[in-house]
Amino acid sequence: MGLKSVQGRGRGWLLASLTPHTSCGFCLGWEQEDNHNYYVSRLYGPSEPRSRELWVDVAKANQSQVKVHRILSNTHRQASRVVLSFDFPFYGHPLRQITIATGGFIFMGDTIHRMLTATQYVAPLMANFNPGYSENSTVAYFDNGTVFIVQWDHVYLQGREDRGSFTFQAALYHDGRIVFGYKEIPMSVLEISSSQHPVKAGLSDAFMILNPSPDVPESRRRTIFEYHRVELDPSKVTSTSAVEFTPLPTCLQHRSCDTCVSSDLPFNCSWCHVLQRCSSGFDRYRQEWLAYGCAQEAERRTCEDFRDEGHSSASPNSSFSPLDGDLTTTSSSLFIDSLTTEDDTKLNPYAGGDGLQNNLSPKTKGPPVHLGTIVGILLAVLLVAAIILAGIYINGHPTSNAALFFIERRPHHWPAVRFRNHPSHSTYTEVEPSGHEKEGFVEAEQC
């Protein structure tokens, strides 16, 4: 349909197949709907009454609740943190703090990087906007306790000011709904260049794993895995259109072992008694999920076992906590170790096969040498075929346990895409008081 879903697809880190959608063209009065596992999205054309209903007229709102951000409204490549008046559920994670960027998107993570465009975003229209070009350009936000709205009003593209101004907004509702409203889109989004700034429209979330760095043992390497992304078809982003994302249930909503393991959600929910959490292992809490051995616990034990033990297992087993010093159990497990020195992402999660050759090598003795040679060749061919088939499987199922097993255990000499500073991609500066640490983070290149 008019939208496509990418699950487990990193920016040049993993190859993933796209969910096939039928194409029906963009009819002005045609509503389109798509299911992305985490959200159901509905696209409304310019002539649909719903598209006008979803637009919130900030000018008519209670002006005491509307704030025009003076710095964002007069600068280029700036970002500012804002605290919401309510917990906003994003991919099942309750968030109270977000970061507004001049480039037409909201960063939903709590680790601020110099470049905020790779993962964890809500982007009605991410592009190289420069609100400082015109006195009429503003970046304003509105919070009435049930909805938080950011509006980029009469903003111009850097270097394309002659094409006119853009006005659009993103609304975050307390029930988890996300709405993109487009009032003025003076040119086709397909014509916007991405050479100086990524051009995106949609949602994305990721988790981060900290692993010991092989080069500096006392430091940590950050591995970012984008486990889900929703991309809007840029040709559908037009004036007076709208998109509404309705959240679907996730494993995190279950608060007991019984409701977790009996869940019919498409996420393979498992209960971790140590953390008292239901999860598929693919969320922002993955660091804890691995450190406390939750996957192994779910395989070996049942809810009945936990009931028999009562709450004697409430304290974590030290054997499951290899990163105890780095863990946090607050509303989000994304954090940066003070000794972190390196950013890294994975390109080939299934490269290598150490250990497999020894397990499959012939051990029998006595047959003629030529027969042993033939058997060895056959076993080698079978091994290569098995590795290729495993690679194809993992490539087509990047969120499978096998894929993550190799991602999280890849030695430093395996291929990796390192984050690079691009001369053409100047970075964002956070509008914050001094004292807030900023970590280096630049979007990885597509392979």
Side-chain angles (χ1 to χ4, degrees):
M1 302 184 78
L3 306 140
K4 56 184 177 181
S5 170
V6 181
Q7 294 197 54
R9 178 186 175 195
R11 293 286 299 171
W13 319 331
L14 293 173
L15 300 178
S17 59
L18 302 184
T19 303
H21 302 281
T22 58
S23 176
C24 61
F26 184 61
C27 303
L28 294 182
W30 203 325
E31 173 189 342
Q32 301 181 41
E33 179 176 321
D34 210 345
N35 188 312
H36 309 278
N37 286 344
Y38 291 91
Y39 289 89
V40 171
S41 60
R42 296 179 178 86
L43 173 65
Y44 301 95
S47 66
E48 288 289 334
R50 182 62 174 164
S51 64
R52 292 186 293 275
E53 294 172 2
L54 292 173
W55 178 266
V56 178
D57 192 343
V58 176
K60 295 182 179 179
N62 186 339
Q63 291 305 302
S64 64
Q65 299 171 333
V66 178
K67 297 182 180 179
V68 175
H69 200 292
R70 297 300 178 187
I71 298 180
L72 296 184
S73 300
N74 291 280
T75 52
H76 180 222
R77 300 262 189 173
Q78 297 282 337
S80 178
R81 300 190 199 188
V82 175
V83 178
L84 308 180
S85 65
F86 55 90
D87 288 330
F88 174 71
F90 184 63
Y91 281 90
H93 304 92
L95 305 181
R96 188 55 82 95
Q97 179 176 269
I98 53 91
T99 302
I100 303 171
T102 55
F105 66 97
I106 305 172
F107 178 62
M108 305 300 288
D110 56 3
T111 299
I112 300 301
H113 306 285
R114 288 181 300 151
M115 191 73 169
L116 307 177
T117 57
T119 59
Q120 297 183 314
Y121 58 78
V122 169
L125 182 54
M126 182 190 297
N128 194 19
F129 293 110
N130 179 14
Y133 172 77
S134 170
E135 293 183 356
N136 295 327
S137 301
T138 60
V139 178
Y141 59 94
F142 166 82
D143 189 344
N144 66 1
T146 60
V147 62
F148 179 88
I149 298 171
V150 181
Q151 181 164 312
W152 293 263
D153 194 72
H154 291 96
V155 294
Y156 292 82
L157 285 170
Q158 177 79 356
R160 303 294 300 275
E161 293 84 0
D162 60 314
R163 299 304 298 269
S165 65
F166 293 70
T167 297
F168 55 92
Q169 62 182 212
L172 312 180
Y173 288 85
H174 74 285
D175 59 1
R177 285 187 304 126
I178 301 172
V179 173
F180 295 164
Y182 305 98
K183 185 176 182 181
E184 296 179 5
I185 307 296
M187 61 184 291
S188 171
V189 176
L190 294 170
E191 299 178 21
I192 301 177
S193 172
S194 60
S195 62
Q196 299 297 319
H197 191 291
V199 178
K200 304 177 183 179
L203 314 175
S204 173
D205 199 27
F207 58 76
M208 181 170 62
I209 299 296
L210 293 182
N211 291 314
S213 174
D215 302 321
V216 185
E218 68 273 13
S219 70
R220 303 291 182 189
R221 167 183 286 156
R222 291 171 293 180
T223 302
I224 309 295
F225 187 88
E226 183 183 40
Y227 66 90
H228 190 262
R229 186 197 305 174
V230 179
E231 293 179 321
L232 301 184
D233 184 341
S235 66
K236 309 301 189 292
V237 178
T238 62
S239 297
T240 65
S241 64
V243 183
E244 182 177 25
F245 299 93
T246 303
L248 295 172
T250 67
C251 299
L252 294 172
Q253 72 179 12
H254 298 302
R255 302 300 181 186
S256 69
C257 181
D258 291 323
T259 58
C260 178
V261 299
S262 62
S263 171
D264 58 356
L265 298 177
F267 296 114
N268 191 24
C269 300
S270 299
W271 179 254
C272 184
H273 189 64
V274 174
L275 298 175
Q276 291 290 294
R277 181 181 301 148
C278 181
S279 175
S280 64
F282 296 92
D283 54 44
R284 296 188 181 190
Y285 304 121
R286 180 154 184 86
Q287 182 81 60
E288 290 178 320
W289 192 260
L290 294 175
Y292 287 94
C294 294
Q296 294 85 345
E297 179 186 82
E299 291 177 359
R300 296 194 303 260
R301 317 190 57 188
T302 65
C303 295
E304 192 64 33
D305 296 333
F306 298 139
R307 280 192 289 270
D308 292 342
E309 292 182 5
H311 297 284
S312 60
S313 302
S315 60
N317 188 322
S318 59
S319 64
F320 291 155
S321 307
L323 299 174
D324 278 343
D326 295 322
L327 294 177
T328 176
T329 56
T330 58
S331 61
S332 176
S333 63
L334 288 184
F335 58 94
I336 294 297
D337 190 292
S338 60
L339 296 177
T340 298
T341 60
E342 185 176 5
D343 288 316
D344 196 14
T345 56
K346 306 304 180 186
L347 169 64
N348 189 356
Y350 47 84
D354 297 342
L356 296 180
Q357 182 65 45
N358 292 335
N359 293 336
L360 295 176
S361 60
K363 299 181 180 179
T364 58
K365 296 181 180 180
V369 175
H370 69 277
L371 179 58
T373 303
I374 294 174
V375 172
I377 293 174
L378 289 175
L379 289 175
V381 171
L382 290 175
L383 175 61
V384 172
I387 293 175
I388 293 175
L389 291 175
I392 294 174
Y393 172 79
I394 295 174
N395 183 51
H397 302 80
T399 59
S400 64
N401 290 332
L404 283 187
F405 176 86
F406 285 107
I407 289 175
E408 292 151 4
R409 292 164 178 81
R410 180 183 68 80
H412 70 282
H413 60 271
W414 288 9
V417 175
R418 300 298 178 86
F419 289 110
R420 305 174 179 86
N421 287 317
H422 299 280
S424 61
H425 282 196
S426 59
T427 57
Y428 277 86
T429 301
E430 185 190 357
V431 181
E432 280 290 327
S434 59
H436 288 276
E437 181 182 1
K438 300 180 179 65
E439 298 292 337
F441 184 80
V442 178
E443 184 181 27
E445 290 185 60
Q446 287 279 16
C447 295

